[in-house]
Amino acid sequence: MTTLVRRNPSNWLPLFFNDFFKDDWKVGTTSTVPAINVKETDTAYTVEVAAAGFTKDDFNVSLDDDNDLLITVEKKSEVKEEESNVRYLRRGFSYAKFQHAMTLPEDVNKDKIDAKVEHGVLQITLPKLKEEEIVKKQRQITVD
């Protein structure tokens, strides 16, 4: 005995998602999340960010209002082929952006932070204050 199965034409949604989540649509896309190392010595902390393919102009390193270290990497590129007899129906371009925030330890000398890019690695040096230079902030709270 053969069983007839009736297909519901309004049940297209699962088929749509099955097609959408196939991996073939991701060809040509990039996701950039650089690896980060943090090292400590007696005199400094060092933050290393894997940044192959990025230049120093792609980085922004800053301190925010809470004295957190913000590392932002942003790179835009577009494939340009100059041919006078070609009309583009599709052009390749890429965009990568990454931002990481780090709360700095109390003993970092924020005035002497240094950053450089060498061999595809962003290296940020966070010198430590000497023990006598660390000012402990204390505040007396009045009890009403």
Side-chain angles (χ1 to χ4, degrees), residues 9-124:
S10 66
N11 197 10
W12 61 270
L13 194 58
L15 295 173
F16 173 78
F17 282 112
N18 288 341
D19 287 342
F20 183 77
F21 287 112
K22 287 182 186 174
D23 286 342
D24 59 348
W25 69 273
K26 293 192 290 185
V27 174
T29 63
T30 60
S31 175
T32 304
V33 180
I36 295 178
N37 294 331
V38 180
K39 301 186 292 188
E40 179 183 13
T41 65
D42 292 339
T43 59
Y45 300 96
T46 304
V47 177
E48 298 172 330
V49 180
F54 293 96
T55 66
K56 69 177 192 167
D57 296 330
D58 298 328
F59 292 97
N60 183 16
V61 180
S62 61
L63 292 175
D64 68 6
D65 293 336
D66 297 324
N67 284 322
D68 290 340
L69 182 69
L70 297 176
I71 304 166
T72 305
V73 183
E74 184 173 15
K75 185 171 189 97
K76 300 175 190 176
S77 65
E78 183 176 345
V79 176
K80 292 184 180 179
E81 297 175 14
E82 300 300 327
E83 293 182 36
S84 60
N85 62 344
V86 174
R87 183 175 53 146
Y88 289 99
L89 301 176
R90 180 178 176 187
R91 290 181 79 174
F93 63 91
S94 67
Y95 178 80
K97 184 172 183 178
F98 167 79
Q99 184 171 11
H100 188 76
M102 301 177 78
T103 301
L104 296 179
E106 200 175 280
D107 62 345
V108 170
N109 186 342
K110 294 170 184 71
D111 296 326
K112 295 191 177 179
I113 296 174
D114 183 44
K116 64 182 177 180
V117 177
E118 283 185 346
H119 308 294
V121 176
L122 169 66
Q123 184 175 347
I124 304 168

